[in-house]
Amino acid sequence: MSPRLALIGYGEVGRILHADLVARGVSDIVVHDRLFADPASPPSRAAAEDQARVASGLAEACAGRDLVISAVTAGEALNVARAARPHLDQAWFLDLNSVSPQTRKAEADALAGSKARYVEGAVMAPIGPKRQQTPILLGGPHAAAVAPLLDALGFSVSPAGEEIGRASAIKLSRSIFVKGLEAIVTESLASARHYGVEAEVLASLGNTLPHPDWPALARYLLTRPLVHGKRRSEEMAEAAGMLAAAGLDASMTRGTVEVQARQGALGLTGEPFGRLEDLLDSIAERTTALSSQRKS
């Protein structure tokens, strides 16, 4: 019998999972997003377009479910776990949000004593290319037990251990590098374009860090913060908290928080950019315009 599923959060991850699960024949799926309160919000429009079954609220979304998947933002993850607790029966509560080990433990504590079984899920790559088959590390005492169900549903999962937070430590340590690289490329090429030396800089990068197409790679690294900067900045704030809790320096990570947030606020998510130079010029123009607005 097909399990009864709930997807909490109907952004990029939630929408992709809904489509892939429906394609696999999973029929009993209910979705909820706090932005559904606004019929004009992107999640509301997406749910209507996908003909998703929308719950009236979090309580209805969680009631009677076998598996509840939380795919919101890092800043909302703990709030969702706390709010869901009174409405969960014997469900698996799978948290796919990019949060710190400390937040994971707080979520597990929030569900302790209930019938729900908390599982951390660390999504180890952008979900767009491989969609539901994107590798996910599972953590916590229930990780091994839920893996067969997730495998049957078409997920690509690997238990990372019974300790809550281990999977997240792997994920966020990787993210410090990936999101930090995006931030470094953003600032490096902004400088290079300003001085008209981007071609020379990219050629030099190709010699230092070999890649078959550095302009294409740079364009990809520049656009990710433009599209997902807000969510990525929250993830990096979680990473900074993880480092601070360990007594480690987080200077670079805190800088990445600022760059990701700044790029995500430029409002360039839907621009059809052609050449790398055009993208860099648009970023510079928008950055200058917003800076002037703040000063006026």
Side-chain angles (χ1 to χ4, degrees):
M1 185 177 76
S2 178
R4 298 163 296 178
L5 268 66
L7 291 171
I8 311 301
Y10 209 69
E12 180 189 20
V13 175
R15 192 176 190 188
I16 285 175
L17 294 184
H18 180 267
D20 288 2
L21 288 164
V22 168
R24 290 185 66 87
V26 181
S27 58
D28 192 350
I29 306 175
V30 64
V31 302
H32 170 70
D33 192 293
R34 65 185 180 88
L35 296 181
F36 284 167
D38 177 6
S41 69
S44 295
R45 295 198 303 268
E49 182 179 330
D50 299 342
Q51 298 184 322
R53 177 184 160 198
V54 175
S56 61
L58 186 62
E60 181 184 331
C62 294
R65 299 289 97 182
D66 301 306
L67 173 63
V68 175
I69 300 176
S70 176
V72 289
T73 63
E76 287 296 314
L78 180 55
N79 292 334
V80 167
R82 287 171 172 164
R85 178 194 166 119
H87 313 295
L88 296 168
D89 193 13
Q90 292 184 329
W92 303 99
F93 187 90
L94 174 61
D95 173 40
L96 295 183
N97 302 297
S98 297
V99 295
S100 68
Q102 292 72 34
T103 300
R104 296 286 200 193
K105 291 172 183 175
E107 289 183 61
D109 289 344
L111 296 180
S114 71
K115 295 179 181 179
R117 292 160 289 181
Y118 177 81
V119 181
E120 67 169 318
V123 183
M124 296 304 294
I127 199 165
K130 292 187 176 181
R131 299 178 65 86
Q132 194 187 1
Q133 276 291 297
T134 304
I136 298 174
L137 295 180
L138 302 179
H142 304 294
V146 77
L149 170 62
L150 297 175
D151 283 335
L153 289 172
F155 289 91
S156 177
V157 298
S158 302
E162 294 188 358
E163 179 187 356
I164 293 287
R166 178 177 172 79
S168 295
I170 297 171
K171 159 74 174 179
L172 288 189
S173 295
R174 173 190 180 276
S175 292
I176 290 170
F177 177 86
V178 174
K179 277 68 173 182
L181 182 60
E182 294 169 353
I184 290 170
V185 168
T186 293
E187 294 197 348
S188 171
L189 291 188
S191 170
R193 182 61 176 166
H194 176 81
Y195 290 102
V197 296
E198 65 276 6
E200 291 84 351
V201 169
L202 289 168
S204 179
L205 289 173
N207 291 330
T208 305
L209 299 171
H211 186 277
D213 191 342
W214 248 103
L217 175 60
R219 191 179 188 282
Y220 173 78
L221 294 172
L222 285 165
T223 55
R224 296 298 287 175
L226 295 176
V227 178
H228 303 292
K230 181 180 185 301
R231 174 165 57 82
R232 289 161 116 75
S233 69
E234 291 184 5
E235 178 181 346
M236 287 298 92
E238 289 285 320
M242 175 183 73
L243 292 170
L248 300 173
D249 182 71
S251 301
M252 179 71 76
T253 302
R254 287 194 296 271
T256 301
V257 172
E258 296 177 8
V259 174
Q260 292 282 349
R262 183 181 70 234
Q263 297 303 101
L266 292 179
L268 296 175
T269 58
E271 294 291 334
F273 300 110
R275 301 180 308 156
L276 175 62
E277 293 86 349
D278 297 331
L279 173 60
L280 290 168
D281 288 345
S282 293
I283 291 173
E285 291 167 6
R286 185 62 176 159
T287 300
T288 300
L290 288 180
S291 178
S292 298
Q293 289 175 15
R294 294 189 192 99
K295 292 177 181 178
S296 62

